[in-house]
Amino acid sequence: MSDEKQTKIEDENQKGVIPSEVSEEMRKAYLDYAMSVIVSRAIPSIEDGLKPVQRRILYSMSQMGLKPNSQTKKSARIVGDVIGKFHPHGDVAVYDALVRMAQDFSLRYPLVFGQGNFGSIDGDAPAAYRYTEAKLAEISGELIEDLEKDTVEFASNFDNSMKEPLLLPSKLPLLLLNGTTGIAVGMATNIPPHNLTEICDAIISHIKNPSTSIEELCQIVKGPDFPTGGTVNGDMLELYKTGRGRLILRGKITTETEKNRELIVITEIPYMVNKSTLVEQIAKMVQDKKLRDISDLRDESSKGKIRIVLELRKDANSRFVINALYKYTRLQDSFSVNFLALVDGQPKILNLKEAIEQYVKFRRIVIINRTKYDLNKAKERQEIVSGLLVALKNIDEIVSLIKKSKSAVEASESLMKKFDLSKRQAQAILDTKLQQLTSMEQDKLKKEHEDLKETIKDLEKILSNDREVLSVILKEVNELKRKYGDERRTQILQRISEIQEKDLIQKKEVVVTITDKGYAKRMDVKTYKEQKRGGKGVIGSNLATGDFMKQMLTCSTHDYLMFFTTRGRVLWLKAYEIPEADRYGKGKAIVNMLNLRNETIANVISVKSFDDYLFMATKNGIVKKISLGNFSKPRASGVVAIGLPEDGSDSLIDVQVLKKSQEVLLVSKKGQAVRFNSDDVRDTGRGSHGVTGIRLDKDDEVVSLEILNTEAVLTITKNGFGKRTSVNEYRKTARGGKGVINLKVSEKTGDVVTTISVNDKDNIIITTAKGIVIRTSLENIRIMGRAAQGVRMVKLQQGDSVTDLIRVQDLNGEE
């Protein structure tokens, strides 16, 4: 092929090709798409409050004659009519929009009357459109009224075969009444529904005084009014000033009593919450034991009335259960308001005053257009009636003139010329029936002529003065209020305080027990007292073999429990987070509640307020004093309480709560003890390593830390020997010394296991490695000197040894 021919082909191929930058074309295409979604799909118009698909459904139903007083027709016919004439999109989208307009739990004022299954508040899908039927609701007539009077603009439909309205006349301020939700490209709208009476009163107030402030309007419009009722709280003034805000919605709860059992009954739920999902959510919380006081849950809802019944356990407090329902379920929900609508075809955020102004502005245009239409029709009819009256006055001449005429055209021209009539008047005379020549008909015409004169006068008066237009709007709004006004369904709460721990958990005294193998449980103090302790009753659990109760705390459910680990970390739990168990339950493993890392719990303390100090001691004799205020902000992962060597050569053995200027006693396993004032140790931060509390021999280590606030110290050894020594026997020395002898350790006694501070009438429990638990009174153990070896406190089996010593807490006030 020659070069000349190739060039010619390329030139031919390039004909009609427009050079363009790809990025610019993509940008333009995306903007076109975005505007199409915003204007033609997702965002409603402020004028009639409708999205295009809703407007087309209502207009199509009107054209089909599905008025409120007519019979319903199959939804399939309506959907087909809308798709075929006005909305060339999927049938599912159109049917979904139709269904929503018929749901009384979705719209505050439903626009469609549906017959059949149109879905439920449980999230049940509606029946297919071949099974359901629909017609316009009565209130929809206010949207379509005067549509035929040239009140709004019409445009060609998608195939130019017919016209459709760009807006409906919409006597109702629909966008404020029913609200809307829509997600467009780069923007979204979320407008809550309102009460018709309040909105009408606000419009009336604005028309009477256009300078009415938003603050004054907020005195009329209290807040949103949702179809499902409930309560709502939020900064209404900020919401209506800016068009943005966040609302807190709550369902309505009442309490009843049935067979000596208290019931919690949910009768209203927040807007757009699926009832079935809510019931499942509550049931799961009960199953997961997050709601412990509910013994039964049932849904007794029927015929559109919501009734979810929660039966409480005996002695349960309904207030705390209700607060937990609000805190953890969608019985309390949020609604983010974004009052975005199309104003003159452009998306705009509106405040309450602007929304009302736009409604009045639109209705003013509609009323002016309607009045012009009615005026033209009245003048046209007046012209006809005037001509007929002339004809009646000269009836004989006119009849004679018509009889002589050769054709209708000639007769019309003759009438126009002789009686000075217009062409339309002449034609009307020719079309007159003989029955209209009776005297009765003549009287009707004369009366109609007078009425037309008054009508024209009134219509011209409206058009001549803007105040007259506003008075018409006022009259129509008052009529709307009379016909459709109703009471609020949603109660406005001035304040919904954030639900705190005290609102969820009843404050009561409990006993928390912790075993050596790391099991924890919580019991009510009353339950504990009922055991009438004796023998093994203080343990109150079926412990695993070799396990024993290591610690027992009496505290409030609202107290913090601080778990100090051997690696020097502290982790927090609220006392109510410890699982409740009966007296024989072993509880739950602490490792499943806390984030432990190859470490064990050294001590647990309960804290009501973070005002005092903590005093810590390590195995190697290091001590540290730190303000509790350093631990006032709990973290789930825990924090470092004392800096310890990373190689594990030292570990935390105990932590105690300390007041100012208290004395402490450190005891080692080889029988040494040092007593000094806590003021000798300065207060340091969380990351510090502490200072030397006692100097230890090479094979020695600290086994006990005591805050000295009792008469004596009880020491027990590995082989079961023990003694009680007066605190005064321990000479007070400086911090960091070797101390004095506490117990003369020998092969017979074994190393010191631990010590505890005791008084004369205290009871103690001794536990052994093989699970033996012995309880005894201190009255059986005499006070001895520091150098004594003590007496045998427990007779051990071969291979057994003492593991711990516990001072019994007397919860009954008596031993």
Side-chain angles (χ1 to χ4, degrees):
M1 184 183 295
S2 65
D3 291 343
E4 184 179 346
K5 190 171 184 180
Q6 178 68 33
T7 303
K8 186 176 180 181
I9 292 173
E10 289 177 358
D11 288 343
E12 289 290 334
N13 289 337
Q14 288 178 0
K15 284 182 180 180
V17 176
I18 302 172
S20 179
E21 179 66 36
V22 173
S23 60
E24 182 62 29
E25 283 298 314
M26 290 181 68
R27 178 177 173 277
K28 183 177 181 301
Y30 183 77
L31 288 174
D32 289 344
Y33 165 72
M35 286 307 297
S36 174
V37 172
I38 291 167
V39 176
S40 303
R41 197 180 307 175
I43 309 299
S45 296
I46 185 63
E47 291 87 353
D48 62 3
L50 296 168
K51 297 178 184 179
V53 65
Q54 296 171 321
R55 187 179 302 116
R56 286 164 174 167
I57 290 170
L58 296 176
Y59 178 63
S60 182
M61 291 177 74
S62 172
Q63 293 296 100
M64 292 172 69
L66 297 179
K67 303 293 173 65
N69 57 356
S70 69
Q71 286 189 332
T72 56
K73 286 189 179 177
K74 287 289 185 185
S75 300
R77 286 190 62 183
I78 300 168
V79 172
D81 202 66
V82 173
I83 292 173
K85 292 179 178 177
F86 309 113
H87 199 70
H89 296 278
D91 58 339
V92 175
V94 175
Y95 187 50
D96 285 349
L98 174 68
V99 165
R100 191 171 189 276
M101 288 194 288
Q103 293 175 336
D104 59 1
F105 53 86
S106 292
L107 296 190
R108 182 64 176 82
Y109 301 95
L111 303 177
V112 171
F113 172 79
Q115 188 166 295
N117 175 15
F118 274 79
S120 74
I121 200 167
D122 282 318
D124 300 318
Y129 53 45
R130 61 183 177 275
Y131 298 120
T132 61
E133 297 182 0
K135 64 179 179 179
L136 291 174
E138 185 181 355
I139 201 168
S140 293
E142 310 295 344
L143 303 176
I144 298 165
E145 186 179 332
D146 301 325
L147 185 61
E148 74 285 354
K149 294 185 177 181
D150 297 336
T151 50
V152 293
E153 289 185 36
F154 278 69
S156 297
N157 67 342
F158 62 91
D159 62 358
N160 291 322
S161 61
M162 57 198 326
K163 300 285 186 181
E164 64 172 313
L166 297 178
L167 295 169
L168 296 184
S170 190
K171 191 186 293 183
L172 288 165
L174 194 63
L175 195 57
L176 284 165
L177 297 183
N178 276 337
T180 191
T181 298
I183 300 173
V185 179
M187 62 184 67
T189 183
N190 203 27
I191 303 171
H194 290 80
N195 182 266
L196 186 142
T197 301
E198 291 181 359
I199 295 299
C200 287
D201 285 340
I203 293 169
I204 292 167
S205 176
H206 170 74
I207 291 173
K208 289 181 176 178
N209 180 15
S211 62
T212 301
S213 65
I214 295 179
E215 287 81 1
E216 290 170 324
L217 291 174
C218 285
Q219 296 297 315
I220 301 170
V221 181
K222 307 295 185 184
D225 188 23
F226 297 97
T228 53
T231 62
V232 63
N233 166 259
D235 189 342
M236 300 305 173
L237 183 58
E238 181 68 17
L239 167 68
Y240 291 130
K241 269 187 173 182
T242 64
R244 298 175 185 270
R246 183 172 178 269
L247 302 173
I248 302 297
L249 313 182
R250 276 185 175 182
K252 185 177 179 181
I253 294 179
T254 59
T255 56
E256 299 176 6
T257 304
E258 181 182 276
K259 296 179 181 178
N260 297 323
R261 292 258 184 180
E262 192 172 12
L263 305 179
I264 292 175
V265 182
I266 301 169
T267 55
E268 295 174 3
I269 63 176
Y271 183 53
M272 300 303 288
V273 169
N274 185 309
K275 177 169 67 69
S276 179
T277 303
L278 176 64
V279 172
E280 290 174 9
Q281 191 179 20
I282 297 172
K284 189 174 188 307
M285 287 190 64
V286 174
Q287 186 179 0
D288 294 343
K289 297 185 178 179
K290 290 182 179 178
L291 284 173
R292 293 177 174 271
D293 292 330
I294 295 176
S295 61
D296 190 26
L297 168 65
R298 54 187 182 268
D299 186 359
E300 298 179 355
S301 306
S302 64
K303 297 181 179 178
K305 298 288 184 181
I306 291 175
R307 183 179 168 84
I308 303 169
V309 179
L310 288 75
E311 188 174 312
L312 300 185
R313 299 184 190 278
K314 191 178 179 182
D315 299 328
N317 191 318
S318 60
R319 181 168 68 89
F320 297 103
V321 178
I322 290 170
N323 286 334
L325 289 170
Y326 285 140
K327 178 78 172 178
Y328 299 121
T329 73
R330 289 195 67 193
L331 199 59
Q332 177 171 306
D333 207 11
S334 63
F335 188 98
S336 295
V337 178
N338 192 38
F339 207 115
L340 179 76
L342 295 177
V343 179
D344 298 326
Q346 299 296 318
K348 182 182 177 183
I349 299 284
L350 299 158
N351 61 36
L352 179 62
K353 187 176 176 69
E354 289 171 336
I356 291 173
E357 285 173 344
Q358 289 296 327
Y359 166 79
V360 173
K361 176 183 173 183
F362 176 65
R363 284 303 298 169
R364 182 178 174 277
I365 294 170
V366 168
I367 288 168
I368 289 172
N369 289 343
R370 181 186 70 191
T371 305
K372 287 179 178 177
Y373 179 89
D374 288 341
L375 180 61
N376 288 336
K377 289 294 181 182
K379 286 182 175 180
E380 288 176 4
R381 180 59 183 167
Q382 186 187 42
E383 181 184 357
I384 300 298
V385 172
S386 297
L388 292 175
L389 289 174
V390 169
L392 289 173
K393 189 177 181 181
N394 304 282
I395 187 63
D396 294 333
E397 291 182 64
I398 287 176
V399 170
S400 176
L401 187 147
I402 292 172
K403 285 172 66 178
K404 294 177 181 178
S405 300
K406 294 181 179 179
S407 65
V409 175
E410 184 182 333
S412 176
E413 290 176 352
S414 299
L415 289 172
M416 291 165 61
K417 186 175 180 182
K418 184 166 185 179
F419 298 101
D420 194 21
L421 300 172
S422 67
K423 188 173 183 180
R424 289 200 304 153
Q425 287 175 323
Q427 187 61 45
I429 291 169
L430 292 173
D431 295 336
T432 300
K433 295 180 181 179
L434 292 175
Q435 69 180 29
Q436 290 181 270
L437 301 178
T438 63
S439 59
M440 187 179 292
E441 289 297 326
Q442 292 180 36
D443 292 340
K444 280 185 180 180
L445 285 173
K446 288 176 182 178
K447 186 177 184 307
E448 184 182 2
H449 189 266
E450 291 301 317
D451 291 343
L452 285 170
K453 283 172 66 177
E454 287 298 319
T455 300
I456 290 169
K457 183 180 177 182
D458 292 341
L459 293 172
E460 286 177 338
K461 183 181 178 183
I462 292 172
L463 292 174
S464 65
N465 192 336
D466 194 54
R467 287 190 177 183
E468 293 295 328
V469 176
L470 293 176
S471 68
V472 173
I473 299 175
L474 271 177
K475 182 180 177 183
E476 291 180 347
V477 170
N478 275 308
E479 182 64 17
L480 289 174
K481 180 181 169 183
R482 185 191 65 79
K483 286 176 69 176
Y484 306 109
D486 57 2
E487 296 294 324
R488 284 191 67 89
R489 296 183 188 175
T490 302
Q491 181 186 354
I492 306 295
L493 294 184
Q494 296 300 320
R495 181 172 173 268
I496 292 181
S497 57
E498 186 177 346
I499 296 174
Q500 304 292 334
E501 164 202 80
K502 63 182 180 181
D503 303 313
L504 299 172
I505 305 297
Q506 185 172 359
K507 190 174 184 178
K508 60 183 179 181
E509 291 298 302
V510 293
V511 175
V512 175
T513 62
I514 297 162
T515 73
D516 184 61
K517 289 192 174 180
Y519 285 88
K521 72 173 181 178
R522 167 171 57 93
M523 292 186 295
D524 195 308
V525 166
K526 293 179 182 177
T527 305
Y528 187 89
K529 286 179 179 179
E530 288 169 2
Q531 294 184 51
K532 303 297 182 185
R533 295 192 316 274
K536 291 173 65 177
V538 71
I539 305 301
S541 59
N542 293 326
L543 300 179
T545 304
D547 199 7
F548 58 90
M549 188 186 71
K550 188 174 183 181
Q551 195 171 355
M552 181 172 65
L553 303 168
T554 305
C555 58
S556 163
T557 48
H558 287 192
D559 289 352
Y560 271 109
L561 296 182
M562 299 177 68
F563 293 78
F564 292 88
T565 74
T566 51
R567 287 181 57 185
R569 293 196 310 136
V570 60
L571 301 104
W572 292 263
L573 281 179
K574 279 290 192 177
Y576 67 79
E577 294 179 294
I578 302 293
E580 191 171 14
D582 59 32
R583 67 184 69 176
Y584 302 113
K586 71 177 183 178
K588 184 177 180 180
I590 293 174
V591 69
N592 293 330
M593 294 186 280
L594 296 173
N595 181 26
L596 296 178
R597 308 168 184 167
N598 299 320
E599 56 198 329
T600 57
I601 301 299
N603 196 18
V604 184
I605 62 173
S606 64
V607 179
K608 283 183 169 61
S609 61
F610 295 87
D611 298 329
D612 297 321
Y613 292 90
L614 293 177
F615 200 87
M616 307 177 190
T618 73
K619 180 178 70 173
N620 293 345
I622 302 298
V623 293
K624 174 179 177 176
K625 185 169 72 172
I626 182 171
S627 171
L628 262 170
N630 288 290
F631 304 99
S632 61
K633 295 181 179 178
R635 297 181 192 171
S637 59
V639 298
V640 173
I642 182 172
L644 294 177
E646 293 185 4
D647 59 6
S649 58
D650 197 7
S651 61
L652 185 67
I653 62 143
D654 201 1
V655 180
Q656 298 288 339
V657 178
L658 180 77
K659 304 285 185 183
K660 280 189 176 181
S661 301
Q662 283 187 290
E663 292 182 349
V664 297
L665 182 74
L666 296 178
V667 179
S668 78
K669 75 176 183 179
K670 295 303 181 183
Q672 291 297 112
V674 62
R675 173 187 175 191
F676 58 90
N677 195 298
S678 62
D679 289 345
D680 294 348
V681 182
R682 66 184 180 86
D683 178 15
T684 57
R686 288 194 297 105
S688 69
H689 295 276
V691 295
T692 302
I694 182 172
R695 281 192 297 114
L696 299 168
D697 291 337
K698 203 167 189 181
D699 59 343
D700 203 1
E701 63 183 50
V702 175
V703 293
S704 176
L705 163 67
E706 296 298 327
I707 305 297
L708 296 176
N709 54 11
T710 58
E711 302 165 353
V713 173
L714 179 67
T715 305
I716 194 163
T717 68
K718 186 176 181 181
N719 294 340
F721 286 81
K723 68 167 185 171
R724 189 158 50 115
T725 304
S726 173
V727 169
N728 293 329
E729 288 279 324
Y730 297 93
R731 186 177 76 255
K732 189 174 177 182
T733 64
R735 171 188 62 80
K738 291 197 68 171
V740 297
I741 293 174
N742 171 44
L743 185 144
K744 194 171 182 181
V745 172
S746 66
E747 188 175 339
K748 180 180 77 171
T749 63
D751 292 338
V752 174
V753 173
T754 189
T755 64
I756 56 171
S757 298
V758 292
N759 291 314
D760 285 345
K761 294 185 178 180
D762 283 347
N763 276 9
I764 60 165
I765 292 175
I766 303 168
T767 61
T768 74
K770 289 190 175 180
I772 302 298
V773 179
I774 295 174
R775 175 174 174 162
T776 184
S777 171
L778 287 182
E779 293 175 349
N780 302 324
I781 304 170
R782 65 185 177 89
I783 293 180
M784 304 179 188
R786 288 188 295 103
Q789 288 187 333
V791 296
R792 186 178 294 278
M793 294 180 64
V794 56
K795 190 173 182 180
L796 300 171
Q797 299 174 6
Q798 188 174 359
D800 201 2
S801 61
V802 173
T803 54
D804 209 351
L805 185 63
I806 302 166
R807 179 185 174 191
V808 175
Q809 296 186 37
D810 181 16
L811 300 179
N812 288 315
E814 60 182 13
E815 287 295 341

